[in-house]
Amino acid sequence: MKTYARTLTIAGSDSGGGAGIQADLKTFAALGCYGMSVLTALTAQNTKAVTGIFPVPPAFIAEQLKAVLSDIGTDAVKIGMLHSPEVIEVVAKTLVEFGVTNIVLDPVMVAKSGDKLLQDEAVDALKSYLLPIATLITPNLPETSVLLGRTVELQADMPQAAVDLLKLGAGAVLVKGGHLMTDDSADLLYLATGEQHWFSTARIDTKNSHGTGCTLSSAIAAGLAKGLSVVEAVSAAKTYLTQALQTGAEYRLGHGHGPVHHFYDFWTH
């Protein structure tokens, strides 16, 4: 009997379809995994802005998690938008209760439009409850700055930032360099063993970059679910995202930041 590579996303819904739960499930499907979802919030969102957020009660988030994990289980988890300390705590405790491994945490704080998605008081909860159980965290430079309480904006700052993030408990850190003011976008993967890997790609000139962080972290989770190492999963995810960005640049959708093309490998033009 065949089995699926099972992947679970715990994140918010993006009504525009470019980020959040929708981007995660598209990524899982494109990479050959069976995707499941636990919704933490509904957002009214398009390519230009987040116009509203409707949070899901923590108790119901726990109920969704227990329903999935008690029956189907999962081989990897991607965690995205967790807007409050209460949500963060209940998610962490439930994952620990079910012995879940291969946890990829994308510490979503601000949408592409600039709208805040994480309460200020939730940052401490993130560090206390989720970082210690995460296999990998994937912060961009602004998120790294918030987590460390200092400005991290140069490529030269990234190695020490990664070391300091590891001290907060995560198994590995991918500091993303998308906000660097350079021709290349360089990401640094730093493992608890001290092993470092730089992933550098030419910057793609496109407005269609909505959901890139969600897509990358989901692609990494998909790789882990299929048995790849952290280094292999990050490398494969970077290749997938680059292709999705390049193909998505050829399209126009909405009037703001459009999405990447999650199914570039399946569609014909």
Side-chain angles (χ1 to χ4, degrees):
M1 183 68 69
K2 293 182 179 180
T3 59
Y4 293 101
R6 303 160 299 170
T7 44
L8 171 64
T9 169
I10 306 169
S13 168
D14 172 6
S15 53
I21 289 282
Q22 288 80 354
D24 298 341
L25 290 175
K26 291 174 187 177
T27 302
F28 293 159
L31 295 175
C33 293
Y34 179 81
M36 301 160 286
S37 60
V38 169
L39 269 70
T40 61
L42 307 178
T43 69
Q45 186 174 172
N46 53 31
T47 63
K48 296 190 294 182
V50 178
T51 58
I53 299 177
F54 187 81
V56 175
F60 192 70
I61 293 172
E63 192 170 341
Q64 292 177 77
L65 265 172
K66 290 176 181 178
V68 171
L69 296 175
S70 64
D71 175 34
I72 303 169
T74 190
D75 297 303
V77 174
K78 173 266 170 79
I79 302 175
M81 178 186 176
L82 305 178
H83 51 280
S84 72
E86 295 79 15
V87 169
I88 290 168
E89 184 173 354
V90 77
V91 166
K93 287 185 175 180
T94 307
L95 292 177
V96 169
E97 176 186 344
F98 282 88
V100 174
T101 57
N102 289 331
I103 298 171
V104 180
L105 171 62
D106 184 21
V108 179
M109 299 178 183
V110 179
K112 180 69 67 177
S113 59
D115 297 281
K116 183 178 289 189
L117 300 175
L118 182 72
Q119 297 174 5
D120 292 335
E121 58 269 27
V123 175
D124 286 340
L126 203 67
K127 291 192 283 188
S128 297
Y129 292 103
L130 276 180
L131 264 65
I133 67 170
T135 304
L136 173 71
I137 61 172
T138 63
N140 60 28
L141 294 184
E143 291 159 352
T144 297
S145 299
V146 171
L147 288 171
L148 293 179
R150 68 173 190 267
T151 300
V152 180
E153 58 186 5
L154 302 176
Q155 187 169 344
D157 299 330
M158 292 168 65
Q160 187 59 52
V163 170
D164 293 340
L165 286 171
L166 277 176
K167 292 177 182 176
L168 298 177
V173 176
L174 181 69
V175 181
K176 299 180 296 189
H179 288 77
L180 292 171
M181 303 301 290
T182 56
D183 293 335
D184 291 340
S185 177
D187 298 349
L188 172 61
L189 175 62
Y190 207 107
L191 306 182
T193 58
E195 185 180 339
Q196 299 182 48
H197 297 269
W198 284 97
F199 298 89
S200 185
T201 55
R203 198 172 294 277
I204 298 168
D205 184 17
T206 177
K207 284 185 67 177
N208 297 334
S209 56
H210 183 50
T212 51
C214 303
T215 298
L216 179 65
S217 54
S218 295
I220 295 170
L224 294 177
K226 292 189 289 186
L228 299 183
S229 69
V230 171
V231 176
E232 292 168 337
V234 170
S235 179
K238 285 286 293 179
T239 298
Y240 169 74
L241 178 59
T242 299
Q243 291 295 323
L245 273 165
Q246 288 176 338
T247 307
E250 302 170 9
Y251 287 78
R252 180 177 179 182
L253 186 75
H255 298 87
H257 292 284
V260 304
H261 197 314
H262 294 93
F263 294 104
Y264 66 86
D265 210 22
F266 300 91
W267 290 20
T268 55
H269 301 284

